[in-house]
Amino acid sequence: MNTRNIALGMLAATALLTESNTVAADDFADAIYFGGPIVTMIRDDDRVEALAVRDGIVIASGEKATVLSLRGPTTKMLDLQGRALMPGFIDAHSHVVQQALKFSVVNLDPYPIGDVKTIADIQRKLRARIEETKPEPGKWVFGWGYDDTALEEMRHPTRKDLDAVSTEHPILLMHISSHLMSANSKALELAGISAETPDPEGGKIQRTRGGNEPNGVLEEKAMGFMLGALPSPTPERSLEMLEYGLRKYAEAGITTAQEGGAVPGMLKLLERGDEAGVLPIDVVSYPVFATLDDATFARVAAGWSTPARYRMGGIKLVLDGSIQGYTAYLSKPYHVQPGAGTEVEADSCGSDVGMKMVLGGDAMDAVYEAHEAPVLEDDYRGYPNMTLEEVVKWVRAADEAGIPFLAHTNGDAATDTLIEAVKQVRKDRPRPELRSVIIHAQTMREDQLNFAANQGLVPSFFPIHVQFWGDRHRDIFLGPERAARIDPARSALDRGMKITLHHDAPVAGIDILNVVSAAVNRRTTSGKLLGPKEAITPYEAFRAVTKDAAWQYFEEHRKGTLEAGKLADMVILSEDPLAIDPMKIDQIEVLQTIKEGKTIYPANPG
Ligand SMILES: [Zn+2]
């Protein structure tokens, strides 16, 4: 970045004009945007008439007449034609590598996250992929995200269903939980799974009723049989997959993304992507504690605060699981206890097989720690993923090195553990300058918000839960009282805290406008209001994915608002996001995404 241009803000440019009445050729703008609301996000309802960009930096914004004085013979005049320009979205928490994998295979997410309602939908989508990509005979076809409990048939697709799509290509589908998969006959054959194969310890090969033939569904450790048969993607293929995934983020208006749970194979891939120059947007990664070695920790400590196209920004702790998987660690029992047949998921992070699909064999030693299966009792509260001692160890390591941590806590008992660890490490000395983040923070209580406010811990909420899972949180997992307080954004803001909002892709898609809409409207899928007291305003919600998300990354001096001196990371939207009826926020379209002055979506802007 050219520091001279940063210094040359609008004031400097105007002063230059008054003094000499001419503008030197290299002081002209590369582009000037005008003709639509330019939402700066500096404060609510702050709009300017025009904005000038040079060398990837905003050099002026304000009244059209003033900004137009930077127009030179080569300046592109870009008329917004009534559409809105605002800062690019900053992803406060997701998992870009896993999401990239999900983009590279057939997406089988259930409605309303995706569009799959029946086994016929799955077959149609697989056939379309084969039709479209015309793989050579014998090449694998992968799908990800089907949910047997959300299919009309209420069962898994079997080898028969998948053989109906192809017997020539091996087909392998990953369940939405990453704990089961379904394969066709060709895939079973290549993996050497037959009627004679015994079930492995800790896993099951489902069999046909009344017979011993595998029906295609593999549970838990039985998925390991597939590992030997799967092709390892070439380094080139992995890079292509990463770039494609990041371009999809750009399509959603995101100009800075997160890898919020990186294992060594992912870190390697991101570094290779950066070296190869194929990252279209900025990526900040957080190596996960379980696989973090001393050398990587030292590299995080050395470079976490230096802005770059790619950097490691801190470390990631995972204190519990997910509420809808009955693995979040709550201080009071779940509203409806999990039934005998309930599948309790260890965590939502990708399985070994999934990792191999994207990263090849080198990721195999680096997956998350396995959990002991929980004992289900009448007063089941979920369970922790880390002991207090472990949390203390990592909070201390981060604090002593002066680096931020991201701590995943969904249940309030997990948040209690984090608070206890912070108390033990920090005593009475808060470390707000580290801007450490509580990821999800979904069931934070009032007393916990007070503690976080005093300590400068930053809650990053997951409001899509209000929408996608809200009805089930009220009726099944949390009950009406706790569900109404889920993702307590209003309570946090009322304490003067900064918050951010996220979608945790690949869990709930990558649409930031859905995230904002859920935080503002708090409507569940069935249309009911859930905890309207925790609703926030459109400006507050958009601020949590622009200005304050930039602050979370220590980049508020260069990102998050549209003003002179900041990066021209911007998005053009079909509507003014702060003027539209809030119920229609999720219908706004991302028309163009600009990273440091360059249009990265669409690929060929008209
Ligand atoms: Zn996550």
Side-chain angles (χ1 to χ4, degrees), residues 178-181 193 199-205 218-227 352-353 370-371:
S178 299
H179 289 256
L180 298 107
M181 51 183 23
I193 299 172
D199 288 347
E201 185 86 24
K204 194 173 162 199
I205 300 168
L218 306 173
E219 300 181 11
E220 301 291 348
K221 291 264 156 49
M223 302 195 296
F225 288 130
M226 280 292 159
L227 283 173
D352 300 9
V353 180
H371 304 281

Side-chain angles (χ1 to χ4, degrees), residues 93 95 260 316 408 439-440 504:
H93 176 68
H95 303 264
K316 173 75 179 293
H408 164 126
I439 294 288
H440 307 322
D504 201 24

Side-chain angles (χ1 to χ4, degrees), residues 93-95 98 258-261 316 318 348-349 368 408 410 439-440 462 502-507:
H93 176 68
S94 78
H95 303 264
Q98 283 188 60
Q258 182 179 102
E259 175 41 67
K316 173 75 179 293
V318 186
S348 57
C349 297
Y368 291 76
H408 164 126
N410 260 317
I439 294 288
H440 307 322
F462 191 178
H502 63 258
H503 48 44
D504 201 24
V507 176

